[in-house]
Amino acid sequence: MSDTTIQHQLFINGEFVDARSGATFASVNPATEETICDVASAESADIDAAVAAARAQLGPGSAWQKMKPRDRAKVMWKLADMLSSRAAEIGRIETIDNGKPIFESQFVDVPASAECLYYFAGWSGKVTGETIPIQEGAFTYTLREPLGVIGAITPWNFPLMLAVWKIAPALACGNTVVLKPAENTSLSILKFAEYAREAGLPPGVLNIVPGKGTVAGTALVDHPGVDAIAFTGSTVVGREIMMRAAKSIKKVSLELGGKSPNIVFADADIEAAARGALNAIFYGKGEVCAAGSRLLVEDSIHDALVEKIRDRAAKMVAADPLDPKTRLGAIVSKKQMESVLGYIDKGKSEGATVVAGGARADIGTGKGYFVQPTVFTGVEPSMTIAREEIFGPVLATLRFSDVDDAVKKGNDSLYGLAAAVWTRDVSKAHRVARAIKAGTVWINSYNLYDPALPFGGFKESGFGRDQGRDALDKYTQTKSVWLAL
Ligand code: NAD
């Protein structure tokens, strides 16, 4: 790390600058509890400056407007190449800031972010309108125009990747971006901004404004110079943002929380389903919006499957996130760890049974916010741990009797982000995939993502899609042009 500069200032108009007020907040390594650095904390005057820089690049004659879409694509491609070749550097920053294993940040999140940029670079210049024949004496067509300045607000669980999920399609469509990362994890996206400058992205096209949600976030949502808000985070904050944005009829897209059902039928490959169930809940320490946090198991295989999951969970140990062998890292913050432990206590007090984990973990240093991978059985649909998003390594196991019961219990949630179905019966798999109210359904798999496939929620998991062709709808608007011949 010694030869790596950790960027900790705001990135506005192509420069790293302090907040105008001089305010900062500490960024803490959750595995060691040590402060990594103090990060500049944006307030409304900084948001004004960032929005002004972003707006300037939408004006005629600006560097961004002068670039052909293909040239914009070249910059995005170069940036993706830089991410690929510097995955060790930026991955390490992500790991010390978020606590996730280096295996995940360097070898999954950074490559996935690069892939997202490659994919959307390919769309630049290909988002087109149509000529629509109406009548004699008229020439009518549509233009797909960028929205303008996109205010993006992102969470702490995939700090780099989820930011890139917003930035890549927004830039491909010709917008400019002001992004506010989560206060816990601002460092990887600030590094990304440094790479973007080096790749040739004109100043002002991308601005990064770390800060508090209730200060920098609200200033961005309220700002008259921002055309749309692209938000990923909790349902509670998403609801608040939607209400605030209503004041200026600002377009919003919301990628929110989940309580995703992972449904295992008796005719499934039980070994594969057990591996899948662990991956579904313990990958990313369970701090994954699409985590398979509700395991629904058909009665006849319940005990056999739980036994396999319990044995494997007991062997998973939290360890130093910087060790390449580590698969379970540190919870992002003390506050989040306490929240997860609170849910574990609630599960116990409401009568569910802990069969694995159930407590804070110590990796031998006496430091760090680690939680044991925890598995509950005997969970009833009404229990808190079956209903609320825990956002930690805690699995709630429920039983079901048949397909109808599985679908009913699977859909018994305010959320609808993701789901999975495990069965060898192809027809049953597709029937259940249709019946489940969720934006993504995996069959005999879990946690698979690709930039070409839309991702987003049903119900209170939000609306609008990141990734895939659908994401282009979020960052463009259609204009109809009517010429009387
Ligand atoms: P959060 O909602 O607390 O914060 C998200 C972002 O919003 C942060 O940048 C925060 O500073 C900002 N914010 C907070 N209050 C704000 C306000 N009043 N106005 C404007 N901005 C505000 O979420 P989190 O704790 O960072 O992340 C965890 C949540 O994100 C979970 O609920 C998870 O399910 C969800 N999430 C969803 C997806 C998805 O794609 N659906 C992906 C990842 C995470």
Side-chain angles (χ1 to χ4, degrees), residues 307-385:
E307 196 178 320
K308 285 185 193 297
I309 290 171
R310 182 198 62 200
D311 292 351
R312 284 169 189 263
K315 285 189 200 127
M316 280 188 83
V317 279
D320 176 5
L322 285 171
D323 183 336
K325 293 196 289 301
T326 297
R327 294 293 180 269
L328 192 68
I331 301 296
V332 73
S333 65
K334 184 161 188 265
K335 185 170 160 229
Q336 182 63 14
M337 178 188 70
E338 284 166 354
S339 165
V340 172
L341 294 173
Y343 275 111
I344 292 174
D345 287 345
K346 191 106 183 155
K348 291 176 187 165
S349 69
E350 288 183 5
T353 308
V354 176
V355 296
R360 188 174 177 172
D362 183 355
I363 65 164
T365 59
K367 292 275 181 199
Y369 311 129
F370 297 91
V371 172
Q372 295 172 345
T374 298
V375 180
F376 277 101
T377 57
V379 179
E380 294 301 326
S382 59
M383 290 180 183
T384 308
I385 58 167

Side-chain angles (χ1 to χ4, degrees), residues 153-158 162 165 180-183 211-214 217-218 221 231-235 237-238 240-241 244 255-258 288-290 336 389 391 417 455-457 461 466:
I153 302 178
T154 47
W156 44 254
N157 57 338
F158 292 86
L162 293 178
W165 280 20
K180 196 210 82 65
E183 37 286 57
K212 294 201 175 105
T214 48
T218 50
V221 176
F231 174 75
T232 301
S234 62
T235 295
V237 174
E240 198 181 319
I241 285 179
R244 282 192 96 92
E255 299 281 349
L256 308 176
V288 178
C289 50
Q336 182 63 14
E389 184 181 45
F391 226 53
L417 191 57
F455 182 80
S461 291
D466 278 335

Side-chain angles (χ1 to χ4, degrees), residues 412-454:
D412 182 17
S413 173
L414 291 173
Y415 296 112
L417 191 57
V421 188
W422 299 81
T423 174
R424 288 193 174 94
D425 179 338
V426 175
S427 161
K428 190 200 288 181
H430 288 288
R431 276 202 322 273
V432 175
R434 285 186 189 194
I436 289 289
K437 306 266 181 265
T440 294
V441 180
W442 289 288
I443 297 173
N444 296 332
S445 56
Y446 210 99
N447 268 341
L448 300 178
Y449 306 89
D450 189 277
L453 223 59

Side-chain angles (χ1 to χ4, degrees), residues 2-24:
S2 52
D3 53 353
T4 293
T5 311
I6 294 202
Q7 300 293 357
H8 57 93
Q9 291 168 294
L10 315 179
F11 183 71
I12 297 178
N13 207 20
E15 301 293 335
F16 287 99
V17 294
D18 286 332
R20 276 152 182 72
S21 68
T24 60

Side-chain angles (χ1 to χ4, degrees), residues 47-107:
I47 302 296
D48 286 346
V51 173
R55 285 225 80 80
Q57 284 295 354
L58 296 168
S62 66
W64 190 232
Q65 298 309 310
K66 280 200 253 171
M67 281 172 90
K68 286 182 188 159
R70 246 191 338 276
D71 293 330
R72 293 177 182 161
K74 284 177 199 158
V75 173
M76 290 172 68
W77 193 273
K78 189 166 174 198
L79 187 47
D81 280 348
M82 288 166 74
L83 274 184
S84 303
S85 63
R86 301 180 191 181
E89 179 184 61
I90 195 165
R92 192 178 165 90
I93 291 173
E94 191 80 302
T95 283
I96 60 169
D97 207 18
N98 166 282
K100 63 173 67 196
I102 191 79
F103 164 76
E104 294 181 13
S105 48
Q106 184 177 343
F107 298 106

